[in-house]
Amino acid sequence: MTEPQQNKDEASKPLIKKCTYCQEMKPLTDFQRRTGRRAGPYSRRGPCRSCRGLAPAPQERAATSAPSGEETNPSAAPVTQHSLEANTAAHSLEAPLPMEAQRPRRKLVTDKARERHRQRVRHLLSRLKPADTRALRLNRNGMIRLRGKTDQGRRWHQEIELDLAMTLVRERMAVIVNPYTVRRLYSNKEFRQYVLKRDRYTCFFCGDYGDTIDHLLPRAKGGHTTPVNCVCACNECNQVKAARDVDEFIESGVPQPSPDDFEAPDNPDVPEDPLRT
């Protein structure tokens, strides 16, 4: 049978379909269309729109996948939309909490512990010795070729000035491939994860939990996104600091976290130091 004739025969049939989840006969418009090169004009997905995203229980999945010739257990309760909604509500109670709710409450951070964490990060940054950039040479366009990869692994390249190329190499963000080309070491996602793990997800300024990165020398004042110039920061400190220098921001008063975010120490007279290294 040719395809036009098959489509014509299908069009003459009643446009209903049995849902694989609730086992109810519903109009064809209640099912999403399949996409792709091999999807026909009348091909629809198994579950209806109201059951999309609802995973059936193992017993229901086994009953659905059983051959039509086999007899099912007559004592088993029929699968209905109400039972599916009840199962969904039960699963939602067992669903994991958001990351903010799962994050453990930190103990009170003292000024001494905060300063110890800053010294640790500064020590790690000081160990990144500047690389030698004397081998770089300008190409015929008077520029340096910069290569790298996106977060998806796609390669890219662009031409940058010699001063920027020397800064990236000197601050360990790129390496020299040849006298006319440098290669960036991290993608954006990899660089963010590197800084957060290096600083132990601890804000450089207030000592609280941090999940963003901030520039010690702001980009508005000539700073670049390099391992030497970036530290972990919480969202509040990142926003309040803005384009100010580090010393100016710390001397003006770092915003302290809310007392609700802390646990009371076991001994109030001697608070525990959570940033002990």
Side-chain angles (χ1 to χ4, degrees):
M1 181 182 297
T2 61
E3 185 176 355
Q5 183 66 25
Q6 182 180 1
N7 295 342
K8 183 177 180 180
D9 294 342
E10 291 180 353
S12 62
K13 297 179 182 179
L15 302 179
I16 59 176
K17 180 180 173 64
K18 186 177 182 180
C19 178
T20 57
Y21 282 6
C22 60
Q23 302 296 318
E24 296 180 2
M25 302 298 295
K26 295 185 178 181
L28 199 62
T29 54
D30 289 354
F31 300 85
Q32 290 186 350
R33 291 190 58 180
R34 294 185 181 273
T35 59
R37 297 172 58 182
R38 299 185 180 181
Y42 291 92
S43 59
R44 301 279 175 163
R45 298 189 179 274
C48 59
R49 296 181 186 273
S50 58
C51 296
R52 292 283 296 172
L54 303 179
Q59 296 83 1
E60 301 169 358
R61 192 182 301 112
T64 305
S65 60
S68 58
E70 298 180 2
E71 295 183 359
T72 57
N73 187 5
S75 62
V79 181
T80 59
Q81 182 69 20
H82 178 72
S83 63
L84 286 172
E85 294 176 355
N87 292 337
T88 306
H91 287 304
S92 62
L93 296 178
E94 302 176 358
L97 298 176
M99 292 299 297
E100 295 295 332
Q102 287 182 351
R103 190 177 70 189
R105 301 179 66 184
R106 299 179 59 90
K107 296 180 184 290
L108 186 61
V109 182
T110 63
D111 293 338
K112 183 178 180 181
R114 194 176 295 114
E115 183 61 29
R116 182 182 293 111
H117 173 67
R118 293 172 186 164
Q119 292 178 359
R120 173 187 171 272
V121 174
R122 290 193 179 102
H123 175 67
L124 293 177
L125 298 182
S126 64
R127 295 177 59 183
L128 298 175
K129 301 300 181 181
D132 188 9
T133 59
R134 292 177 296 180
L136 291 177
R137 298 290 185 271
L138 296 177
N139 58 17
R140 63 183 64 183
N141 296 328
M143 307 288 283
I144 298 294
R145 188 182 185 90
L146 174 64
R147 299 188 333 201
K149 288 186 178 181
T150 63
D151 294 337
Q152 292 75 26
R154 178 175 295 181
R155 297 181 179 181
W156 57 267
H157 66 272
Q158 66 182 61
E159 290 188 342
I160 59 177
E161 297 180 355
L162 177 62
D163 294 340
L164 177 56
M166 294 176 64
T167 301
L168 296 180
V169 173
R170 186 166 48 246
E171 297 186 2
R172 299 296 185 178
M173 189 61 181
V175 293
I176 299 176
V177 178
N178 56 56
Y180 311 99
T181 306
V182 296
R183 177 175 61 86
R184 184 173 174 177
L185 293 175
Y186 310 95
S187 64
N188 294 335
K189 184 177 180 180
E190 293 173 348
F191 180 74
R192 180 177 179 273
Q193 292 298 324
Y194 163 74
V195 174
L196 295 181
K197 291 181 180 179
R198 182 197 67 188
D199 297 355
R200 301 178 181 177
Y201 291 86
T202 304
C203 179
F204 179 81
F205 307 103
C206 68
D208 195 22
Y209 173 82
D211 56 358
T212 65
I213 61 175
D214 193 18
H215 298 75
L216 297 177
L217 178 63
R219 288 184 294 180
K221 298 182 180 181
H224 298 284
T225 305
T226 61
V228 177
N229 193 44
C230 290
V231 294
C232 176
C234 65
N235 186 55
E236 184 178 2
C237 290
N238 200 342
Q239 297 294 329
V240 175
K241 176 179 176 292
R244 288 187 289 178
D245 294 333
V246 177
D247 297 336
E248 177 186 356
F249 174 62
I250 294 177
E251 292 175 359
S252 64
V254 177
Q256 299 298 326
S258 172
D260 298 336
D261 297 335
F262 295 129
E263 290 180 350
D266 298 336
N267 187 357
D269 299 332
V270 182
E272 184 177 350
D273 185 357
L275 300 180
R276 184 175 302 166
T277 57

